[in-house]
Amino acid sequence: MSVPLQPGQRIEEIVGFVIQQALSGTSDDENEVKLVSTFSLSPDDAWLVRDRVFGGIVRAATGNKANQPSPKKDPFAYASFQQALQNPSIIAAIYPQFAQPAVNSMREDSASEQPKTRPWWKFW
């Protein structure tokens, strides 16, 4: 995925902007208009950026580390995935239906808190 950025613009800055707009209740269409006016993106690129940012947040909500986007192939989703993991309240605010404790299971420090499961061959 390739979205041309202006000199000095960073993916993390744009991702943070999209997330803040969503947290403040800005509609998707208005979010895209603001991306165009603030970051000089084309309307198609603004749509793509917004879509990928929200895609990363949904992936983080799964609690599955295998869903981490590639930083090279999908940098906007990767950056939003990282931000949502660092601040799970992002998931709860934007997608309350996906807010769950599973996000914490991806953090290194919560590995010891995982429930113990029995081996597959012990069925009783």
Side-chain angles (χ1 to χ4, degrees):
M1 183 182 85
S2 178
V3 173
L5 301 180
Q6 299 295 320
Q9 289 179 342
R10 295 182 21 245
I11 290 171
E12 294 79 9
E13 175 186 10
I14 297 172
V15 167
F17 180 85
V18 171
I19 290 172
Q20 286 307 313
Q21 292 299 310
L23 293 175
S24 68
T26 305
S27 72
D28 291 344
D29 291 336
E30 184 62 27
N31 201 337
E32 291 171 26
V33 168
K34 289 183 177 185
L35 281 169
V36 169
S37 65
T38 305
F39 296 100
S40 301
L41 298 176
S42 72
D44 287 341
D45 285 343
W47 177 89
L48 182 61
V49 165
R50 185 192 52 77
D51 178 70
R52 299 319 309 141
V53 168
F54 291 149
I57 294 169
V58 170
R59 285 176 168 208
T62 67
N64 185 345
K65 199 165 194 164
N67 284 334
Q68 177 174 303
S70 165
K72 294 208 185 282
K73 293 181 181 179
D74 201 349
F76 290 97
Y78 176 81
S80 65
F81 180 90
Q82 297 301 322
Q83 285 191 28
L85 285 184
Q86 292 171 358
N87 185 359
S89 67
I90 292 171
I91 298 167
I94 296 174
Y95 294 112
Q97 69 273 29
F98 298 140
Q100 58 183 339
V103 172
N104 292 329
S105 70
M106 292 179 51
R107 294 192 175 152
E108 309 282 333
D109 59 344
S110 66
S112 63
E113 299 172 13
Q114 295 299 317
K116 301 288 183 196
T117 58
R118 63 178 175 234
W120 64 269
W121 64 88
K122 291 187 178 182
F123 50 88
W124 59 89

